Amino acid sequence: MMILLGFIAGVITIGYHNIFSGLLPVSGWLSSGFLFLLMIVVLTRVTVRHYLILHPVIYTMSSVALFGLAFIFGTGYAHWQLNHALQQRLSEPVEQTALVRVVGISDGVGEDWRQVVETVAVENRSQSGQPSQARWLLYGAFDWNKHQSVTPPDMQPGQLWQVRVKLKPAHSNASPGAFDVERWLLQQHITATGTVQTAQQLTPQQLQQLQLKPESLLQQLQNTLQRERLRIRQHFMQWDANPSHTAKNAVAESPVDKNHTVKNNTAKGVLLGLLTGDRGLIDADTTLLYQQMGISHLLAISGPHVILAALMITWLLQKLLDRFPAVYLKAERRRWLLPVFMLVVVLYAGLAGFDIPAQRTVLMVGLAAGLLWFRQRWSRTCILLMSASILLLLDPLAILSAAFWLSFGAVAILLSMNVPQPGQHETSVSQGTLKQWQIKVMQFVQLQWRLFVLLSPLVLLSFAKISWLAPLVNLVAIPLLSAVVLPVNLLAYAVFWLSPALADVIWSVALRLLDVFHAGLACLAYYFPNALQPFYLNSLQLMALFAMLGLLVLPRGIIPRWWFAFLIIPVCYPAWPVAPLTVQVLDVGQGLSVIVKTRHHAMLVDTGAKIGNSNMGNKVVIPALQAQGIHRLDKLMLTHLDSDHSGGAPAILQQLAVSQLTSSETFAPYPTYLCEAGQSWQWDGVQFRVLSPLPAHFRATGKIANSKNEKSCVLMVEVPAQADIPAQRVLIMGDAGLYTEFLLQQQTIPLQADLLILGHHGSQHSSSSPFLASVHPQRAVVSAGYLNRYGHPKPIVLARLNEQGIAVDSTIDSGTLTYVLGQQKYLKPQRYRDKNLWLQRIYD
């Protein structure tokens, strides 16, 4: 047990800097592995075990030594695997021709199409820096002339294609609260993402000429299962469950908001997800609806789904064998049933994509079946820890997935519960039946509340939000989906092999149940729109919350429960760092968004862009605000109304309370206070002044008169001098260019600032040398997108900054940048990409 715990604890350190990963070479952690294997051999000897039982101190010391050695081995092994995976990543953009093999089925259809492929042969591999076998995530091309997506190639599992792709390294918005795409790509072993330019499937004749190594039996089985998975999806896409009633259903007819309308196609998508874990047909609204209700976990194929399918097949086999009792003379019943049960578990897990919950199920069921086969007994905790250790030994990067923590965490909570036997409460035959049902219902209710409470730290740690409706909705959703819809779903799939028409009839019954269920969810979402609440916890809050849950789990009498009160304070009243002024330049890609916060007030300058369905307001800005405990804004300033500065504003105005919206022009339909030079206010001793637009901007003619950029709101923020720290200033330029810079230099107001957020993302049409000399900042910040098509920041601007000795920070290289003013003389940025190894730009 101590070995398993130590190994898992060591793997948890993956991606973080620690003394072991920095100092221990490969030989060091391999030696630790050899030592604890040697200790296991010695400690398992009968004479040594008897000696340890008589000497508890030595027994404890040996257990601690085993834990430490396993921890060192786990840390070294995990970081070795991580470094190997990071070295495999693409280092720079490249256009590549390659022969690839399709892996699995596409994640989404139409515009949401994306496909994982593995390279078989890469053209000019040595020049491109790609490993001999890499895994890419390919997206469909976009026709900018027609402003629509190009129809993606019809790739199917196991096929070989000759593709021409534009590849780029893994890169995402590195910001507090934002989804870490680079972490997800790393966990999926994807080394690069790319856009398909051309694609052609290889013909049988071409395959024969290549004389490739034949696929292994395991690969053939995986491809067969994935092709079956694709066949089911295609059937659901083509199947019209109700031709006369496709546009409306129970949800559309209910008096709820249109945003929560769920159509028949959506119900089919959910039904497909419940059957194979394929979420490709589930739209974003339904995904959000399930998140709001706290039941997204029901769409993951895990233990209940796999075991139910295996039990159904095994039950049929048992009934068949019972008709021929002579077979039990050759082998007892379990010898017949266990292999079939295990085979179904493995096949169904493969059909479901073999993700982490399915892997956990296969490992735990396999261990339990092996112990039953050989008549051995292990504790439930040991089986759980052994399953987790085997999974991490095979792939330590799995620890980066939220599915790992939630899957194993939920099982650990279930195994920790001591549920009383209903038979203990029976008093008579008639009264016992009623009492038994009452007890089962109470146990189920208690189970949901305990799961909700005990899993909440892991949910908050993984998603930073939780639905308070989850325990209530799960009381209905779990019995309905797991005990009614899922068996009907599996029955229909079994019939599908014999009669697709009859299977459609059975699936129609499940669809009607889902329609009614979705109507209820839509009503709940309509009346409780804020059920899904964000909760960003700092380290102290997480520690206190885990300690509270530990008190709940421990048996009564070990630790007084009144200690609970001491832990409520740090959980409910977090001690946020207080500074005179904090400026946070968010990584919103090609755009700008800056959080300016004093001790008791918060302001947002610009909101990032909205491109298609990608909204930086929802994706980056709101999570970053909530991560700092900001739920209302005293002011939202849009420097101007270009999309890359104001695209996320509607989402923020809809979801957060904003006291005042200000901009250089009216932002319809919201009441807008126009900014102009001379406006000023003070928060907590910090002075805010608007320096532009000036009257000269409105008297200008020609291009300048029509330029939104030149009329950008320019903001100066000043922290007064404190003790031995002089006054410090921040200058935010928006997209103001050379003309505005010239006008500002003509004013009597001093422009000197310690921190300059460069105008127009480092464009050559801003940040002139005279202006930089007037501002003379310690540091300049560039907010721009990775590989942006404008080439920002321009080399000429970087040269000007270098000539004047101004340090440059970029959201491209550093992610979100945080500066604290009023506490130290020299500004030092906090770079979000320094947080984890996989976020660091080691190739720049």
Side-chain angles (χ1 to χ4, degrees):
M1 294 279 284
M2 296 299 291
I3 295 173
L4 301 177
L5 286 172
F7 175 73
I8 295 172
V11 176
I12 290 175
T13 66
I14 191 170
Y16 299 95
H17 295 284
N18 58 61
I19 186 172
F20 299 104
S21 63
L23 298 180
L24 276 182
V26 175
S27 58
W29 59 266
L30 285 178
S31 300
S32 69
F34 173 77
L35 286 176
F36 82 73
L37 287 176
L38 180 62
M39 287 187 66
I40 293 173
V41 174
V42 173
L43 295 176
T44 52
R45 297 179 64 88
V46 176
T47 55
V48 176
R49 290 174 60 186
H50 288 167
Y51 178 80
L52 292 176
I53 292 174
L54 297 175
H55 298 81
V57 175
I58 299 179
Y59 176 77
T60 302
M61 292 175 61
S62 62
S63 299
V64 172
L66 282 173
F67 179 89
L69 288 172
F71 177 83
I72 295 174
F73 175 78
T75 299
Y77 176 67
H79 281 78
W80 174 61
Q81 290 285 339
L82 174 64
N83 291 333
H84 176 72
L86 292 177
Q87 291 171 4
Q88 298 298 307
R89 296 197 305 187
L90 185 68
S91 59
E92 59 184 12
V94 64
E95 190 165 343
Q96 191 72 58
T97 299
L99 178 64
V100 299
R101 177 176 283 110
V102 181
V103 178
I105 64 176
S106 63
D107 184 8
V109 295
E111 294 182 356
D112 298 324
W113 181 90
R114 60 181 185 177
Q115 177 67 59
V116 177
V117 298
E118 286 183 348
T119 59
V120 176
V122 180
E123 185 181 85
N124 298 326
R125 178 171 62 87
S126 59
Q127 297 179 10
S128 65
Q130 280 289 284
S132 57
Q133 188 172 20
R135 179 171 286 200
W136 300 339
L137 179 63
L138 302 183
Y139 293 84
F142 188 85
D143 189 337
W144 290 99
N145 294 325
K146 298 181 179 179
H147 295 283
Q148 64 182 18
S149 299
V150 178
T151 303
D154 184 19
M155 293 182 171
Q156 298 191 11
Q159 291 180 343
L160 291 174
W161 286 70
Q162 187 81 20
V163 296
R164 183 74 179 174
V165 294
K166 285 186 175 180
L167 295 175
K168 66 177 183 179
H171 191 98
S172 63
N173 302 102
S175 184
F179 179 69
D180 193 342
V181 177
E182 294 176 52
R183 171 175 173 163
W184 179 83
L185 292 173
L186 181 68
Q187 191 269 318
Q188 296 292 322
H189 301 276
I190 295 172
T191 60
T193 61
T195 303
V196 178
Q197 303 300 303
T198 61
Q200 182 178 8
Q201 183 183 357
L202 267 64
T203 63
Q205 294 77 12
Q206 291 173 320
L207 291 174
Q208 290 179 356
Q209 294 175 359
L210 290 174
Q211 296 181 346
L212 298 173
K213 182 181 178 180
E215 293 182 336
S216 65
L217 183 61
L218 180 59
Q219 287 177 322
Q220 294 178 21
L221 177 60
Q222 289 176 339
N223 290 332
T224 300
L225 291 173
Q226 290 302 308
R227 281 193 287 268
E228 175 61 18
R229 199 178 186 207
L230 179 61
R231 185 173 76 101
I232 301 171
R233 175 198 280 185
Q234 291 174 341
H235 177 78
F236 270 67
M237 292 175 64
Q238 297 169 2
W239 165 46
D240 192 352
N242 192 349
S244 64
H245 193 55
T246 57
K248 295 182 179 180
N249 60 11
V251 177
E253 295 170 355
S254 61
V256 298
D257 192 87
K258 292 182 180 180
N259 292 332
H260 303 295
T261 298
V262 182
K263 295 185 178 180
N264 225 332
N265 289 337
T266 295
K268 287 195 295 185
V270 172
L271 196 63
L272 178 63
L274 291 172
L275 180 63
T276 66
D278 179 6
R279 303 192 184 191
L281 302 185
I282 302 177
D283 58 27
D285 290 338
T286 306
T287 300
L288 178 60
L289 181 62
Y290 272 62
Q291 290 175 351
Q292 287 178 312
M293 299 298 107
I295 57 173
S296 296
H297 61 94
L298 295 177
L299 297 178
I301 303 298
S302 57
H305 299 71
V306 176
I307 292 175
L308 179 60
L311 286 175
M312 291 174 64
I313 300 298
T314 308
W315 179 81
L316 291 174
L317 177 62
Q318 178 183 336
K319 293 301 180 182
L320 178 63
L321 292 176
D322 288 346
R323 293 182 174 274
F324 305 96
V327 299
Y328 295 131
L329 297 176
K330 298 182 179 180
E332 57 183 313
R333 176 179 291 173
R334 62 182 176 139
R335 302 289 183 179
W336 293 100
L337 299 182
L338 277 178
V340 175
F341 182 84
M342 196 64 217
L343 178 63
V344 176
V345 167
V346 172
L347 291 178
Y348 190 58
L351 180 66
F354 209 64
D355 56 4
I356 288 178
Q359 294 175 35
R360 188 263 306 160
T361 301
V362 170
L363 287 172
M364 292 193 67
V365 172
L367 287 173
L371 292 171
L372 186 60
W373 183 275
F374 293 106
R375 299 181 183 276
Q376 299 294 317
R377 290 183 63 87
W378 284 2
S379 67
R380 297 175 296 180
T381 303
C382 187
I383 293 175
L384 180 67
L385 292 177
M386 180 62 75
S387 302
S389 299
I390 293 173
L391 178 58
L392 294 178
L393 191 62
L394 296 174
D395 182 15
L397 297 181
I399 201 80
L400 301 176
S401 172
F404 175 89
W405 291 100
L406 295 176
S407 179
F408 280 95
V411 174
I413 293 171
L414 291 173
L415 294 180
S416 68
M417 295 182 181
N418 296 318
V419 181
Q421 298 297 323
Q424 299 175 1
H425 301 273
E426 295 179 358
T427 57
S428 64
V429 177
S430 59
Q431 294 179 352
T433 303
L434 178 60
K435 187 69 175 179
Q436 185 175 354
W437 276 104
Q438 291 177 349
I439 293 173
K440 287 182 177 180
V441 172
M442 292 303 297
Q443 289 174 355
F444 182 67
V445 173
Q446 181 186 15
L447 172 66
Q448 294 308 310
W449 278 105
R450 292 195 68 176
L451 279 173
F452 175 74
V453 173
L454 297 179
L455 271 181
S456 59
L458 291 177
V459 173
L460 293 175
L461 190 60
S462 302
F463 306 111
K465 52 189 174 183
I466 195 169
S467 172
W468 61 265
L469 280 175
L472 300 176
V473 176
N474 275 296
L475 291 176
V476 177
I478 291 179
L480 176 64
L481 298 185
S482 299
V484 180
V485 175
L486 180 59
V488 173
N489 210 356
L490 293 173
L491 176 62
Y493 177 61
V495 173
F496 178 67
W497 285 83
L498 303 174
S499 174
L502 180 58
D504 290 345
V505 174
I506 301 175
W507 268 320
S508 297
V509 175
L511 279 182
R512 297 300 171 266
L513 293 173
L514 282 177
D515 285 341
V516 176
F517 176 62
H518 286 163
L521 295 183
C523 288
L524 284 175
Y526 177 74
Y527 290 110
F528 302 100
N530 298 319
L532 186 66
Q533 288 293 321
F535 290 97
Y536 289 86
L537 306 180
N538 56 34
S539 300
L540 178 61
Q541 285 180 291
L542 281 174
M543 291 175 59
L545 189 56
F546 276 110
M548 289 171 61
L549 299 182
L551 288 178
L552 293 176
V553 173
L554 289 176
R556 292 181 179 274
I558 296 181
I559 298 178
R561 292 297 174 92
W562 55 266
W563 284 23
F564 198 94
F566 292 105
L567 299 171
I568 293 178
I569 298 175
V571 170
C572 298
Y573 300 97
W576 297 100
V578 177
L581 180 66
T582 301
V583 177
Q584 193 171 58
V585 184
L586 301 179
D587 181 10
V588 292
Q590 186 63 22
L592 178 66
S593 185
V594 185
I595 300 174
V596 182
K597 188 173 68 168
T598 66
R599 287 190 170 93
H600 302 104
H601 295 82
M603 170 183 183
L604 180 67
V605 179
D606 288 337
T607 61
K610 180 181 180 181
I611 303 175
N613 295 327
S614 180
N615 186 325
M616 288 299 165
N618 286 322
K619 187 177 179 181
V620 175
V621 180
I622 291 177
L625 290 168
Q626 293 170 340
Q628 300 184 59
I630 300 174
H631 300 287
R632 66 176 301 276
L633 293 170
D634 295 285
K635 187 184 288 286
L636 169 58
M637 175 179 283
L638 304 177
T639 57
H640 61 301
L641 299 188
D642 278 355
S643 176
D644 58 335
H645 291 253
S646 62
I652 293 168
L653 290 166
Q654 291 168 12
Q655 299 183 47
L656 295 179
V658 178
S659 298
Q660 185 185 80
L661 169 64
T662 181
S663 180
S664 57
E665 55 184 303
T666 302
F667 186 62
Y670 304 97
T672 309
Y673 183 75
L674 298 180
C675 63
E676 59 183 33
Q679 295 172 348
S680 65
W681 66 94
Q682 190 179 88
W683 288 338
D684 305 319
V686 178
Q687 185 70 35
F688 294 76
R689 289 178 294 175
V690 177
L691 305 186
S692 184
L694 293 155
H697 284 100
F698 302 98
R699 295 195 300 266
T701 59
K703 292 182 179 180
I704 294 178
N706 299 321
S707 174
K708 291 183 179 181
N709 291 346
E710 295 294 354
K711 295 179 181 177
S712 293
C713 303
V714 175
L715 181 67
M716 175 76 80
V717 186
E718 180 179 351
V719 180
Q722 301 182 29
D724 58 341
I725 301 175
Q728 294 181 326
R729 301 180 185 88
V730 179
L731 181 59
I732 304 174
M733 294 296 296
D735 270 0
L738 299 176
Y739 177 72
T740 300
E741 293 175 359
F742 172 77
L743 292 180
L744 290 175
Q745 292 177 78
Q746 310 306 310
Q747 307 300 308
T748 57
I749 299 177
L751 295 177
Q752 192 281 324
D754 299 89
L755 181 65
L756 170 64
I757 300 178
L758 293 178
H760 207 184
H761 322 288
S763 164
Q764 63 185 348
H765 303 297
S766 60
S767 305
S768 64
S769 294
F771 179 73
L772 294 176
S774 299
V775 179
H776 191 57
Q778 293 182 33
R779 313 192 73 90
V781 181
V782 177
S783 179
Y786 179 62
L787 298 179
N788 66 84
R789 57 186 177 136
Y790 307 102
H792 295 158
K794 290 293 185 178
I796 189 173
V797 174
L798 297 177
R800 295 171 191 164
L801 293 165
N802 184 55
E803 287 175 0
Q804 301 192 28
I806 301 171
V808 181
D809 301 320
S810 171
T811 58
I812 299 174
D813 301 326
S814 304
T816 290
L817 290 155
T818 304
Y819 303 86
V820 176
L821 287 80
Q823 290 187 341
Q824 54 188 3
K825 186 175 181 180
Y826 298 101
L827 300 182
K828 294 181 180 180
Q830 299 173 17
R831 299 179 173 90
Y832 190 81
R833 287 195 176 274
D834 290 342
K835 182 180 178 182
N836 300 111
L837 293 176
W838 60 81
L839 290 175
Q840 295 175 11
R841 304 271 65 87
I842 58 176
Y843 49 78
D844 286 341

